[in-house]
Amino acid sequence: MAYYLDNPAGRLHKLLLDLYTAFPNDQQQKSRQAWVAIVELVGNELGLAGEAAIISGAVALPAQVRDAVEALPEDDERKEHLLAGLSSIEQGMIQVASRGNLFDVFSAFATNGVVPQSAAVSGLSHCSFELHRAVPEVTVSESDLSRIIDMINELMAEVTEAELPDAVKRAMVNHLIALLQAAHNVRFAGTQPLDDALWSLIGSVGRTNAGEDLVRVGLWEKIKKAMATLNLMLSAGQSAAQLGQGVAGFLTD
């Protein structure tokens, strides 16, 4: 099955199917709070703040789908067709926000909680294809995303071990953790939060006058290369091959 992760419908579609794959029988689903399962699936680097960001982002996906479809240059009947079944998925995501179990979430839009057989989920797949054709967002492949996460983790380890002033180290580590969480969240939130976290990191370097300290400990060039690689990836038209080469080059320096 093709996933179009360059739009919120495709990301919601994949999230629901991935959750079902991880917890395929009703006993597992009834014993698992949905929000816990989502946090575990995505990966959390920010503690309680990370949990809140992941859950709020996941719960917001149906509204993002609705907004994206409403913005299409289609007539109302066509839009209604593309959004068919979304209201039942919205009911399921309300169960996530109220800390319901996975079975209750799935049962809101799938008979007996069998997600792959849900008409609403099939409708999401069709909706994601139409959004992919009309307004695709910048995306990153799973393999490149994994390498980006490795790159951020490597940077964070080096910053943590470096002899930097406490204020500079604390700011850099905090922003790198936020960048890492944004990378994990790409699977459901898209690349915009990653772009925002990158620019927040860049701004922090300027505000703390960290450049000289980073040069002194031999990290400035590596950080600049990481920022350039990520910025290039998040620019429209960047190919996966170019991105992969950039990240691989960073990791082998």
Short mmCIF file of all heavy atoms in Angstrom, two decimals, residues 126-184:
data_model
loop_
_atom_site.label_atom_id
_atom_site.label_comp_id
_atom_site.label_asym_id
_atom_site.label_seq_id
_atom_site.Cartn_x
_atom_site.Cartn_y
_atom_site.Cartn_z
N HIS A 126 -7.81 7.51 0.06
CA HIS A 126 -8.21 8.21 -1.16
C HIS A 126 -8.00 9.72 -1.01
O HIS A 126 -7.49 10.39 -1.92
CB HIS A 126 -9.67 7.91 -1.47
CG HIS A 126 -10.19 8.62 -2.68
ND1 HIS A 126 -9.64 8.46 -3.93
CD2 HIS A 126 -11.21 9.52 -2.82
CE1 HIS A 126 -10.29 9.22 -4.81
NE2 HIS A 126 -11.24 9.87 -4.15
N CYS A 127 -8.37 10.24 0.15
CA CYS A 127 -8.20 11.67 0.42
C CYS A 127 -6.72 12.05 0.35
O CYS A 127 -6.36 13.09 -0.22
CB CYS A 127 -8.78 12.00 1.79
SG CYS A 127 -8.68 13.74 2.24
N SER A 128 -5.86 11.21 0.90
CA SER A 128 -4.43 11.52 0.91
C SER A 128 -3.87 11.55 -0.52
O SER A 128 -3.01 12.37 -0.83
CB SER A 128 -3.66 10.51 1.75
OG SER A 128 -3.55 9.26 1.12
N PHE A 129 -4.39 10.68 -1.39
CA PHE A 129 -3.94 10.67 -2.78
C PHE A 129 -4.32 11.98 -3.46
O PHE A 129 -3.51 12.57 -4.19
CB PHE A 129 -4.55 9.49 -3.53
CG PHE A 129 -4.26 9.50 -5.01
CD1 PHE A 129 -2.97 9.25 -5.47
CD2 PHE A 129 -5.25 9.78 -5.92
CE1 PHE A 129 -2.69 9.27 -6.84
CE2 PHE A 129 -4.98 9.81 -7.29
CZ PHE A 129 -3.69 9.55 -7.74
N GLU A 130 -5.55 12.45 -3.22
CA GLU A 130 -5.99 13.70 -3.85
C GLU A 130 -5.19 14.89 -3.33
O GLU A 130 -4.82 15.78 -4.10
CB GLU A 130 -7.49 13.91 -3.59
CG GLU A 130 -8.39 12.88 -4.27
CD GLU A 130 -8.26 12.90 -5.78
OE1 GLU A 130 -8.06 14.00 -6.36
OE2 GLU A 130 -8.36 11.83 -6.40
N LEU A 131 -4.91 14.92 -2.04
CA LEU A 131 -4.10 16.01 -1.48
C LEU A 131 -2.67 15.92 -2.00
O LEU A 131 -2.02 16.95 -2.25
CB LEU A 131 -4.12 15.96 0.04
CG LEU A 131 -5.46 16.33 0.70
CD1 LEU A 131 -5.39 16.08 2.20
CD2 LEU A 131 -5.82 17.79 0.43
N HIS A 132 -2.17 14.71 -2.16
CA HIS A 132 -0.83 14.51 -2.72
C HIS A 132 -0.74 15.09 -4.13
O HIS A 132 0.26 15.74 -4.48
CB HIS A 132 -0.51 13.02 -2.73
CG HIS A 132 0.65 12.63 -3.59
ND1 HIS A 132 1.96 12.90 -3.23
CD2 HIS A 132 0.71 12.01 -4.80
CE1 HIS A 132 2.77 12.45 -4.19
NE2 HIS A 132 2.05 11.92 -5.14
N ARG A 133 -1.76 14.90 -4.91
CA ARG A 133 -1.76 15.41 -6.28
C ARG A 133 -1.87 16.93 -6.30
O ARG A 133 -1.28 17.59 -7.17
CB ARG A 133 -2.94 14.82 -7.07
CG ARG A 133 -2.81 13.36 -7.39
CD ARG A 133 -3.69 12.98 -8.55
NE ARG A 133 -5.07 13.43 -8.37
CZ ARG A 133 -5.98 13.37 -9.35
NH1 ARG A 133 -5.64 12.93 -10.54
NH2 ARG A 133 -7.22 13.77 -9.11
N ALA A 134 -2.62 17.48 -5.35
CA ALA A 134 -2.93 18.92 -5.41
C ALA A 134 -1.94 19.80 -4.67
O ALA A 134 -1.48 20.81 -5.21
CB ALA A 134 -4.34 19.14 -4.85
N VAL A 135 -1.62 19.43 -3.42
CA VAL A 135 -0.78 20.32 -2.58
C VAL A 135 0.21 19.50 -1.75
O VAL A 135 0.16 19.48 -0.52
CB VAL A 135 -1.66 21.18 -1.64
CG1 VAL A 135 -2.30 22.32 -2.38
CG2 VAL A 135 -2.73 20.33 -0.94
N PRO A 136 1.16 18.81 -2.41
CA PRO A 136 2.11 18.02 -1.64
C PRO A 136 3.06 18.88 -0.82
O PRO A 136 3.50 19.94 -1.28
CB PRO A 136 2.88 17.25 -2.73
CG PRO A 136 2.78 18.14 -3.94
CD PRO A 136 1.41 18.77 -3.85
N GLU A 137 3.33 18.45 0.40
CA GLU A 137 4.28 19.14 1.26
C GLU A 137 5.67 18.52 1.06
O GLU A 137 5.82 17.46 0.47
CB GLU A 137 3.87 18.97 2.73
CG GLU A 137 2.47 19.49 3.04
CD GLU A 137 1.99 19.06 4.41
OE1 GLU A 137 2.79 18.47 5.18
OE2 GLU A 137 0.81 19.28 4.73
N VAL A 138 6.68 19.22 1.57
CA VAL A 138 8.04 18.66 1.57
C VAL A 138 8.06 17.44 2.48
O VAL A 138 7.48 17.46 3.57
CB VAL A 138 9.06 19.70 2.06
CG1 VAL A 138 10.45 19.09 2.16
CG2 VAL A 138 9.07 20.90 1.12
N THR A 139 8.69 16.37 2.05
CA THR A 139 8.76 15.15 2.86
C THR A 139 10.20 14.68 2.99
O THR A 139 11.10 15.17 2.30
CB THR A 139 7.94 14.01 2.23
OG1 THR A 139 8.47 13.70 0.93
CG2 THR A 139 6.47 14.37 2.11
N VAL A 140 10.40 13.69 3.86
CA VAL A 140 11.70 13.05 4.02
C VAL A 140 11.43 11.56 4.18
O VAL A 140 10.47 11.16 4.84
CB VAL A 140 12.47 13.62 5.22
CG1 VAL A 140 11.67 13.53 6.50
CG2 VAL A 140 13.81 12.95 5.39
N SER A 141 12.26 10.73 3.57
CA SER A 141 12.06 9.29 3.63
C SER A 141 12.38 8.75 5.02
O SER A 141 13.09 9.39 5.80
CB SER A 141 12.95 8.60 2.59
OG SER A 141 14.31 8.67 2.99
N GLU A 142 11.87 7.55 5.30
CA GLU A 142 12.14 6.92 6.60
C GLU A 142 13.63 6.71 6.81
O GLU A 142 14.16 6.90 7.90
CB GLU A 142 11.39 5.59 6.69
CG GLU A 142 9.90 5.72 6.96
CD GLU A 142 9.60 6.13 8.39
OE1 GLU A 142 10.45 5.91 9.28
OE2 GLU A 142 8.50 6.67 8.63
N SER A 143 14.34 6.28 5.74
CA SER A 143 15.77 6.01 5.89
C SER A 143 16.55 7.30 6.16
O SER A 143 17.45 7.33 7.01
CB SER A 143 16.31 5.32 4.63
OG SER A 143 16.11 6.12 3.48
N ASP A 144 16.20 8.38 5.45
CA ASP A 144 16.89 9.65 5.70
C ASP A 144 16.51 10.22 7.05
O ASP A 144 17.34 10.82 7.74
CB ASP A 144 16.56 10.65 4.59
CG ASP A 144 17.35 10.36 3.32
OD1 ASP A 144 18.42 9.74 3.41
OD2 ASP A 144 16.89 10.76 2.23
N LEU A 145 15.26 10.03 7.46
CA LEU A 145 14.84 10.50 8.78
C LEU A 145 15.63 9.78 9.87
O LEU A 145 16.06 10.40 10.85
CB LEU A 145 13.34 10.27 8.97
CG LEU A 145 12.74 10.78 10.28
CD1 LEU A 145 12.96 12.29 10.43
CD2 LEU A 145 11.25 10.45 10.35
N SER A 146 15.84 8.49 9.70
CA SER A 146 16.62 7.73 10.67
C SER A 146 18.05 8.27 10.76
O SER A 146 18.61 8.41 11.85
CB SER A 146 16.64 6.25 10.28
OG SER A 146 17.43 5.51 11.17
N ARG A 147 18.63 8.61 9.61
CA ARG A 147 19.98 9.15 9.61
C ARG A 147 20.03 10.55 10.21
O ARG A 147 21.00 10.93 10.88
CB ARG A 147 20.55 9.14 8.20
CG ARG A 147 20.98 7.73 7.76
CD ARG A 147 21.74 7.76 6.45
NE ARG A 147 20.81 7.86 5.33
CZ ARG A 147 21.20 7.87 4.04
NH1 ARG A 147 22.49 7.85 3.75
NH2 ARG A 147 20.31 7.94 3.08
N ILE A 148 18.98 11.34 10.00
CA ILE A 148 18.91 12.66 10.61
C ILE A 148 18.86 12.54 12.13
O ILE A 148 19.53 13.28 12.86
CB ILE A 148 17.69 13.44 10.09
CG1 ILE A 148 17.93 13.86 8.64
CG2 ILE A 148 17.39 14.67 10.95
CD1 ILE A 148 16.69 14.37 7.94
N ILE A 149 18.07 11.60 12.62
CA ILE A 149 17.98 11.38 14.07
C ILE A 149 19.35 10.97 14.62
O ILE A 149 19.77 11.45 15.68
CB ILE A 149 16.90 10.31 14.37
CG1 ILE A 149 15.51 10.91 14.12
CG2 ILE A 149 17.02 9.80 15.81
CD1 ILE A 149 14.38 9.91 14.18
N ASP A 150 20.05 10.10 13.89
CA ASP A 150 21.41 9.72 14.32
C ASP A 150 22.33 10.94 14.36
O ASP A 150 23.15 11.08 15.28
CB ASP A 150 21.98 8.67 13.36
CG ASP A 150 21.33 7.31 13.51
OD1 ASP A 150 20.66 7.08 14.54
OD2 ASP A 150 21.48 6.48 12.59
N MET A 151 22.20 11.80 13.37
CA MET A 151 23.03 12.99 13.29
C MET A 151 22.78 13.90 14.49
O MET A 151 23.72 14.40 15.13
CB MET A 151 22.73 13.74 11.99
CG MET A 151 23.49 15.05 11.82
SD MET A 151 23.12 15.85 10.23
CE MET A 151 21.44 16.38 10.50
N ILE A 152 21.51 14.11 14.84
CA ILE A 152 21.18 14.97 15.98
C ILE A 152 21.68 14.35 17.27
O ILE A 152 22.23 15.04 18.14
CB ILE A 152 19.66 15.22 16.03
CG1 ILE A 152 19.19 15.96 14.77
CG2 ILE A 152 19.30 16.05 17.28
CD1 ILE A 152 17.68 16.03 14.63
N ASN A 153 21.50 13.04 17.42
CA ASN A 153 21.98 12.36 18.63
C ASN A 153 23.50 12.48 18.77
O ASN A 153 24.02 12.68 19.88
CB ASN A 153 21.59 10.88 18.59
CG ASN A 153 20.17 10.64 19.09
OD1 ASN A 153 19.72 11.28 20.03
ND2 ASN A 153 19.48 9.71 18.46
N GLU A 154 24.20 12.37 17.65
CA GLU A 154 25.67 12.51 17.70
C GLU A 154 26.06 13.91 18.12
O GLU A 154 26.95 14.09 18.96
CB GLU A 154 26.26 12.17 16.33
CG GLU A 154 27.79 12.25 16.30
CD GLU A 154 28.37 11.92 14.94
OE1 GLU A 154 27.76 11.12 14.21
OE2 GLU A 154 29.44 12.47 14.62
N LEU A 155 25.39 14.91 17.54
CA LEU A 155 25.67 16.29 17.92
C LEU A 155 25.40 16.52 19.41
O LEU A 155 26.19 17.16 20.10
CB LEU A 155 24.79 17.25 17.11
CG LEU A 155 25.36 17.88 15.85
CD1 LEU A 155 24.34 18.84 15.26
CD2 LEU A 155 26.66 18.60 16.14
N MET A 156 24.30 15.99 19.89
CA MET A 156 23.93 16.20 21.28
C MET A 156 24.96 15.58 22.22
O MET A 156 25.33 16.16 23.24
CB MET A 156 22.54 15.60 21.54
CG MET A 156 21.92 16.04 22.85
SD MET A 156 20.11 16.08 22.78
CE MET A 156 19.76 14.54 21.97
N ALA A 157 25.44 14.39 21.86
CA ALA A 157 26.46 13.74 22.69
C ALA A 157 27.73 14.57 22.72
O ALA A 157 28.36 14.73 23.78
CB ALA A 157 26.74 12.34 22.15
N GLU A 158 28.14 15.12 21.57
CA GLU A 158 29.37 15.89 21.52
C GLU A 158 29.24 17.22 22.28
O GLU A 158 30.17 17.65 22.96
CB GLU A 158 29.76 16.13 20.06
CG GLU A 158 30.17 14.85 19.33
CD GLU A 158 30.86 15.14 18.01
OE1 GLU A 158 31.52 16.19 17.90
OE2 GLU A 158 30.73 14.30 17.10
N VAL A 159 28.07 17.86 22.15
CA VAL A 159 27.84 19.11 22.89
C VAL A 159 27.85 18.84 24.39
O VAL A 159 28.42 19.60 25.18
CB VAL A 159 26.51 19.76 22.45
CG1 VAL A 159 26.13 20.91 23.40
CG2 VAL A 159 26.62 20.27 21.02
N THR A 160 27.22 17.74 24.79
CA THR A 160 27.15 17.40 26.22
C THR A 160 28.54 17.18 26.81
O THR A 160 28.82 17.57 27.95
CB THR A 160 26.30 16.12 26.41
OG1 THR A 160 24.98 16.38 25.92
CG2 THR A 160 26.22 15.73 27.88
N GLU A 161 29.44 16.57 26.03
CA GLU A 161 30.79 16.26 26.52
C GLU A 161 31.77 17.42 26.38
O GLU A 161 32.83 17.41 27.00
CB GLU A 161 31.33 15.05 25.77
CG GLU A 161 30.54 13.76 26.05
CD GLU A 161 30.98 12.62 25.14
OE1 GLU A 161 31.91 12.84 24.33
OE2 GLU A 161 30.37 11.54 25.22
N ALA A 162 31.41 18.42 25.58
CA ALA A 162 32.35 19.51 25.30
C ALA A 162 32.50 20.45 26.50
O ALA A 162 31.60 20.60 27.32
CB ALA A 162 31.86 20.30 24.08
N GLU A 163 33.67 21.09 26.58
CA GLU A 163 33.95 22.08 27.62
C GLU A 163 33.38 23.42 27.20
O GLU A 163 34.08 24.29 26.66
CB GLU A 163 35.46 22.18 27.85
CG GLU A 163 36.10 20.93 28.42
CD GLU A 163 35.62 20.64 29.84
OE1 GLU A 163 35.33 21.61 30.57
OE2 GLU A 163 35.53 19.45 30.20
N LEU A 164 32.07 23.58 27.43
CA LEU A 164 31.38 24.81 27.05
C LEU A 164 30.84 25.51 28.29
O LEU A 164 30.57 24.85 29.30
CB LEU A 164 30.20 24.48 26.12
CG LEU A 164 30.54 23.99 24.72
CD1 LEU A 164 29.29 23.39 24.06
CD2 LEU A 164 31.09 25.13 23.87
N PRO A 165 30.68 26.84 28.25
CA PRO A 165 30.02 27.53 29.36
C PRO A 165 28.64 26.91 29.63
O PRO A 165 27.96 26.49 28.69
CB PRO A 165 29.90 28.97 28.86
CG PRO A 165 30.98 29.11 27.83
CD PRO A 165 31.09 27.78 27.18
N ASP A 166 28.25 26.87 30.88
CA ASP A 166 26.99 26.21 31.25
C ASP A 166 25.80 26.75 30.47
O ASP A 166 24.94 25.98 30.02
CB ASP A 166 26.74 26.35 32.75
CG ASP A 166 27.68 25.50 33.59
OD1 ASP A 166 28.31 24.59 33.01
OD2 ASP A 166 27.78 25.74 34.80
N ALA A 167 25.71 28.06 30.33
CA ALA A 167 24.56 28.66 29.65
C ALA A 167 24.50 28.24 28.19
O ALA A 167 23.42 27.95 27.65
CB ALA A 167 24.62 30.19 29.76
N VAL A 168 25.67 28.20 27.53
CA VAL A 168 25.73 27.80 26.13
C VAL A 168 25.37 26.33 25.98
O VAL A 168 24.55 25.94 25.13
CB VAL A 168 27.14 28.07 25.55
CG1 VAL A 168 27.27 27.44 24.16
CG2 VAL A 168 27.41 29.57 25.50
N LYS A 169 25.95 25.49 26.83
CA LYS A 169 25.68 24.05 26.76
C LYS A 169 24.20 23.77 27.00
O LYS A 169 23.57 22.98 26.28
CB LYS A 169 26.54 23.29 27.77
CG LYS A 169 26.30 21.78 27.74
CD LYS A 169 27.20 21.05 28.73
CE LYS A 169 28.64 21.07 28.28
NZ LYS A 169 29.48 20.14 29.08
N ARG A 170 23.64 24.41 28.04
CA ARG A 170 22.25 24.17 28.38
C ARG A 170 21.33 24.57 27.22
O ARG A 170 20.41 23.84 26.86
CB ARG A 170 21.88 24.94 29.64
CG ARG A 170 20.47 24.67 30.15
CD ARG A 170 20.30 25.19 31.57
NE ARG A 170 20.64 26.60 31.69
CZ ARG A 170 21.72 27.06 32.33
NH1 ARG A 170 22.58 26.21 32.90
NH2 ARG A 170 21.97 28.36 32.40
N ALA A 171 21.59 25.73 26.63
CA ALA A 171 20.75 26.20 25.52
C ALA A 171 20.89 25.27 24.31
O ALA A 171 19.88 24.91 23.68
CB ALA A 171 21.14 27.63 25.13
N MET A 172 22.12 24.87 23.98
CA MET A 172 22.33 24.01 22.83
C MET A 172 21.65 22.65 23.03
O MET A 172 20.98 22.14 22.13
CB MET A 172 23.83 23.81 22.59
CG MET A 172 24.55 25.03 22.08
SD MET A 172 24.03 25.52 20.41
CE MET A 172 24.55 24.10 19.46
N VAL A 173 21.83 22.06 24.20
CA VAL A 173 21.24 20.74 24.47
C VAL A 173 19.72 20.83 24.42
O VAL A 173 19.05 19.96 23.82
CB VAL A 173 21.71 20.18 25.82
CG1 VAL A 173 20.89 18.96 26.22
CG2 VAL A 173 23.20 19.81 25.75
N ASN A 174 19.14 21.85 25.02
CA ASN A 174 17.69 21.99 25.02
C ASN A 174 17.14 22.12 23.60
O ASN A 174 16.11 21.51 23.25
CB ASN A 174 17.26 23.20 25.85
CG ASN A 174 17.40 22.95 27.35
OD1 ASN A 174 17.51 21.81 27.79
ND2 ASN A 174 17.43 24.02 28.13
N HIS A 175 17.82 22.91 22.78
CA HIS A 175 17.34 23.08 21.40
C HIS A 175 17.58 21.82 20.57
O HIS A 175 16.76 21.50 19.69
CB HIS A 175 18.02 24.29 20.76
CG HIS A 175 17.42 25.59 21.17
ND1 HIS A 175 16.22 26.07 20.68
CD2 HIS A 175 17.84 26.53 22.07
CE1 HIS A 175 15.94 27.22 21.23
NE2 HIS A 175 16.90 27.52 22.08
N LEU A 176 18.65 21.10 20.82
CA LEU A 176 18.89 19.85 20.10
C LEU A 176 17.86 18.78 20.50
O LEU A 176 17.41 18.00 19.66
CB LEU A 176 20.31 19.34 20.36
CG LEU A 176 21.41 20.12 19.62
CD1 LEU A 176 22.78 19.73 20.17
CD2 LEU A 176 21.34 19.85 18.12
N ILE A 177 17.47 18.77 21.77
CA ILE A 177 16.42 17.84 22.20
C ILE A 177 15.11 18.18 21.49
O ILE A 177 14.39 17.29 21.01
CB ILE A 177 16.24 17.87 23.73
CG1 ILE A 177 17.45 17.25 24.43
CG2 ILE A 177 14.96 17.12 24.14
CD1 ILE A 177 17.43 17.40 25.94
N ALA A 178 14.79 19.46 21.41
CA ALA A 178 13.57 19.88 20.72
C ALA A 178 13.64 19.52 19.23
O ALA A 178 12.64 19.09 18.63
CB ALA A 178 13.36 21.38 20.88
N LEU A 179 14.82 19.67 18.64
CA LEU A 179 15.02 19.30 17.23
C LEU A 179 14.84 17.80 17.05
O LEU A 179 14.20 17.34 16.08
CB LEU A 179 16.41 19.74 16.77
CG LEU A 179 16.73 19.61 15.28
CD1 LEU A 179 15.86 20.55 14.46
CD2 LEU A 179 18.21 19.92 15.03
N LEU A 180 15.36 17.02 17.99
CA LEU A 180 15.23 15.56 17.93
C LEU A 180 13.77 15.15 18.04
O LEU A 180 13.30 14.27 17.31
CB LEU A 180 16.06 14.94 19.05
CG LEU A 180 16.09 13.41 19.12
CD1 LEU A 180 16.65 12.81 17.85
CD2 LEU A 180 16.90 12.96 20.34
N GLN A 181 13.03 15.79 18.96
CA GLN A 181 11.61 15.46 19.10
C GLN A 181 10.85 15.81 17.83
O GLN A 181 9.99 15.05 17.38
CB GLN A 181 11.01 16.21 20.29
CG GLN A 181 9.56 15.82 20.57
CD GLN A 181 9.43 14.37 20.95
OE1 GLN A 181 10.02 13.93 21.93
NE2 GLN A 181 8.66 13.60 20.19
N ALA A 182 11.18 16.94 17.23
CA ALA A 182 10.53 17.34 15.97
C ALA A 182 10.81 16.33 14.87
O ALA A 182 9.95 16.05 14.03
CB ALA A 182 10.98 18.73 15.56
N ALA A 183 12.03 15.77 14.88
CA ALA A 183 12.36 14.74 13.88
C ALA A 183 11.51 13.50 14.08
O ALA A 183 10.99 12.91 13.13
CB ALA A 183 13.84 14.41 13.96
N HIS A 184 11.35 13.06 15.34
CA HIS A 184 10.46 11.93 15.61
C HIS A 184 9.04 12.24 15.17
O HIS A 184 8.34 11.37 14.63
CB HIS A 184 10.47 11.60 17.11
CG HIS A 184 11.68 10.86 17.57
ND1 HIS A 184 11.99 9.59 17.13
CD2 HIS A 184 12.68 11.19 18.44
CE1 HIS A 184 13.11 9.18 17.71
NE2 HIS A 184 13.54 10.14 18.50
#
